[in-house]
Amino acid sequence: MAEARVKLVADMHFEGSSSSGHKLTMDADKESGGHNKGFRPMELLLVGFGGCSGMDVISILREKRQNVTGLETNVKGEQADSFPHIYEKVHIEYVVKGKDIQKEAIERSIQLSLEKYCSVGATLGKTAVITHSYRIVEE
């Protein structure tokens, strides 16, 4: 079972820790009573999605013996205008770096991540329309 603990540091500054022993800082902007010292909680959803799907895609590409030297995900989310400001649209772009990478391998890796493996994407997909794209940077 995954567990997290979030503790108020000061004002709107919180420190989160996980059962795996990692920590991160969250804060609000100055207009909301914070000091911009950390992630916004909703940003963490996008970071988590990029990491979750990125781990899937790189793992699958390595299994397919693709010569990948780098992978980056760029995630953008559009939130609803009204509270609770859920994500309604999320787009994830995969930037795959390497040599002679097969487009079919990338497309299949992304499909498997988004349709089968990425639990963060599956969770976001309950409220948001998720779209994706990819680019290959030949090295």
Side-chain angles (χ1 to χ4, degrees):
M1 175 188 331
E3 294 182 23
R5 181 176 181 196
V6 179
K7 182 175 144 182
L8 177 65
V9 176
D11 300 321
M12 294 296 282
H13 179 188
F14 286 80
E15 182 178 271
S17 59
S18 66
S19 55
S20 60
H22 300 284
K23 293 183 179 184
L24 60 82
T25 299
M26 292 176 282
D27 200 356
D29 57 24
K30 292 183 184 206
E31 295 155 2
S32 301
H35 300 282
N36 196 31
K37 291 184 176 183
F39 287 100
R40 308 300 181 269
M42 289 297 283
E43 291 174 332
L44 288 171
L45 287 174
L46 300 181
V47 171
F49 180 35
C52 180
S53 188
M55 289 178 190
D56 293 338
V57 169
I58 194 65
S59 177
I60 296 165
L61 288 172
R62 287 174 177 160
E63 281 179 18
K64 293 180 174 290
R65 305 218 187 280
Q66 297 297 297
N67 190 9
V68 178
T69 57
L71 176 70
E72 180 179 307
T73 58
N74 299 305
V75 186
K76 293 180 181 176
E78 290 183 32
Q79 292 177 261
D81 291 332
S82 59
F83 285 101
H85 301 297
I86 62 171
Y87 284 116
E88 294 180 319
K89 296 179 184 177
V90 175
H91 183 82
I92 183 167
E93 177 195 39
Y94 302 85
V95 181
V96 184
K97 297 178 182 178
K99 185 168 176 58
D100 300 323
I101 300 169
Q102 298 171 347
K103 289 169 64 169
E104 299 80 15
I106 294 171
E107 290 166 359
R108 181 67 176 146
S109 299
I110 292 169
Q111 178 188 21
L112 285 169
S113 176
L114 296 180
E115 293 178 7
K116 184 174 183 180
Y117 295 119
C118 182
S119 55
V120 180
T123 302
L124 280 172
K126 299 286 184 189
T127 62
V129 173
I130 296 176
T131 58
H132 70 277
S133 60
Y134 69 88
R135 288 187 287 133
I136 299 172
V137 178
E138 192 73 25
E139 292 189 325

